[in-house]
């Protein structure tokens, strides 16, 4: 299911590389690849308006920094980029409007919002997009997270206050209480309300812990299926979205996507990912990009992430505490499979799983970490494994 998806070429790409770390960090373990992506995603020192091309792209950087810290346990990376992190956050705080919102148009050079190139249903490119404000909220919260790790309480308080103020405005302006989801935001004029609903704001809100969990079922059963082009127009950010699916407890919903898109590519005999990401595109259309046959955007590395997340975070139920980064959780769900064998790289070594639907299942954990094992994904059958060793359990 994987093919050539996540790049290991050490080339720096902004958003695409940071999505790719969600898979590549566990497949290759090359921290330098992640750091190259982080470096290019961050804005330069002393950023100014003319440095903005796509306003939401720098907001991926702190997502990548936190992922890097959790995976490798190395605080020196954030310290290395500390000035650029704080300047990025302070810069965005300086250019927002009276509501604390970042706009999609700050000058003639602006390309506008580009959420994974998937905008058939909006949001408007140069208006005020709800998903971008949610990303900014996530950035403030992540800034506070790192400031606490740096033992800078005043800085953490500053970013936390910016986050909480922005959170209130996000719900005031963008939450649709009737449809229980976030609207797109505004149109290009920055004032006309765009009441359409697309998927971007919804999954970023789940990742940022903003989406009210009591409305998850409504979102996945009613809202998302009603979005026009939702299945036809698949974003390069699908890795983020699948992570949100898992977080919302909707792992099983991931696999129809995998079957329709990635499975179709396999059926057609592809050995690398086509650039046209629509499952309804013709074979000829799939092999054309930038209006030239067999053209490549070099973004396709991000296309390899969703299958990895489906297995790592979905089937295996892998997650990691951001308070004690040596604590991991596993909530395996075999779904329709009879067995799964996996080796998960973590900073302490490898967690090895052999899950059998019938008979004895096993887990091996390395020294220096704690593993919370939720048998069949349920808290009632939780085991806490604190010592390195080989353990047996019955998947039931």
């Amino acid at each position: 299911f994987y093919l050539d998806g996540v790049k290991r070429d050490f080339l720096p790409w902004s958003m695409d590389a940071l999505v790719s770390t969600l898979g590549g960090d566990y497949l290759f373990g090359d921290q330098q690849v992640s750091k190259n992506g982080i470096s290019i995603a961050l804005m330069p020192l002393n950023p100014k308006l003319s440095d903005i091309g796509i306003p939401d792209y720098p907001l991926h950087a702190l997502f990548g920094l936190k992922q890097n810290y959790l995976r490798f346990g190395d605080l020196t990376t954030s310290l290395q980029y500390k000035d650029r992190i704080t300047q990025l956050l302070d810069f965005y705080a300086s250019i927002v409007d009276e509501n604390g919102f970042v706009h999609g148009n700050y000058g003639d050079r602006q390309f506008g919002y580009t959420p994974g190139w998937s905008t058939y249903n909006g949001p408007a490119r140069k208006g005020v997009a709800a998903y971008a404000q949610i990303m900014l909220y996530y950035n403030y919260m992540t800034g506070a997270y790192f400031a606490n790790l740096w033992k800078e309480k005043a800085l953490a308080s500053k970013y936390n206050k910016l986050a909480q103020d922005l959170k209130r405005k996000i719900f005031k302006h963008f939450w649709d209480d009737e449809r229980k989801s976030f609207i797109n935001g505004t149109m290009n004029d920055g004032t006309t309300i765009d009441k359409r609903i697309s998927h971007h704001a919804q999954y970023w809100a789940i990742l940022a812990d903003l989406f009210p969990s009591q409305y998850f079922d409504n979102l996945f059963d009613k809202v998302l299926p009603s979005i026009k082009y939702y299945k036809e127009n698949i974003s390069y950010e699908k890795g983020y979205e699948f992570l949100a699916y898992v977080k919302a407890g909707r792992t099983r919903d991931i696999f129809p996507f995998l079957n329709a898109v990635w499975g179709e590519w396999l059926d057609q005999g592809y050995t690398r990912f086509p650039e046209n990401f629509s499952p309804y595109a013709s074979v000829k259309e799939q092999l054309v990009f930038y209006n030239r046959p067999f053209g490549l955007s070099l973004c396709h590395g991000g296309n390899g992430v969703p299958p990895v997340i489906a297995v790592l975070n979905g089937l295996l139920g892998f997650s990691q505490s951001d308070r004690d980064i040596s604590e991991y959780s596993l909530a395996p769900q075999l779904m329709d499979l009879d067995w799964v064998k996996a080796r998960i790289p973590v900073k302490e070594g490898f967690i090895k799983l052999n899950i059998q639907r019938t008979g004895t299942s096993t887990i091996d954990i390395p020294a220096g970490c704690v593993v919370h094992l939720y048998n069949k994904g349920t808290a009632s059958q939780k085991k806490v494994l604190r010592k390195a060793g080989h353990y047996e359990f019955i998947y039931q």
Side-chain angles (χ1 to χ4, degrees), residues 15-16 19 114-119 199-200 203-204 229-241 257 262 277-278 302-303 306:
M15 178 271 285
D16 312 296
V19 175
T114 309
W117 309 94
S118 176
T119 55
H199 56 295
H200 312 290
Y203 67 76
W204 275 115
Y229 305 121
Y230 180 58
K231 291 186 176 180
E232 292 89 339
N233 187 222
I234 296 178
S235 167
Y236 285 114
E237 296 183 12
K238 189 60 69 174
Y240 289 143
E241 189 175 359
F257 271 112
W262 291 262
F277 218 35
S278 171
N303 295 359

Side-chain angles (χ1 to χ4, degrees), residues 98-143:
E98 65 277 7
N99 290 314
F101 298 154
V102 60
H103 289 238
N105 186 11
Y106 285 102
D108 294 338
R109 291 186 66 254
Q110 294 297 297
F111 192 81
Y113 299 118
T114 309
W117 309 94
S118 176
T119 55
Y120 282 6
N121 197 48
R125 178 174 289 177
K126 297 192 175 184
V128 180
Y131 85 89
Q133 318 316 318
I134 296 169
M135 290 182 71
L136 182 58
Y137 165 84
Y138 184 94
N139 272 250
Y140 289 147
M141 291 298 294
T142 306

Side-chain angles (χ1 to χ4, degrees), residues 3-4 261-274 283 286-287:
L3 301 181
D4 74 326
V261 183
W262 291 262
E264 175 68 14
W265 291 341
L266 290 173
D267 289 343
Q268 293 179 33
Y270 283 107
T271 56
R272 68 182 303 150
F273 293 128
V283 172
Q286 288 178 9
L287 295 176

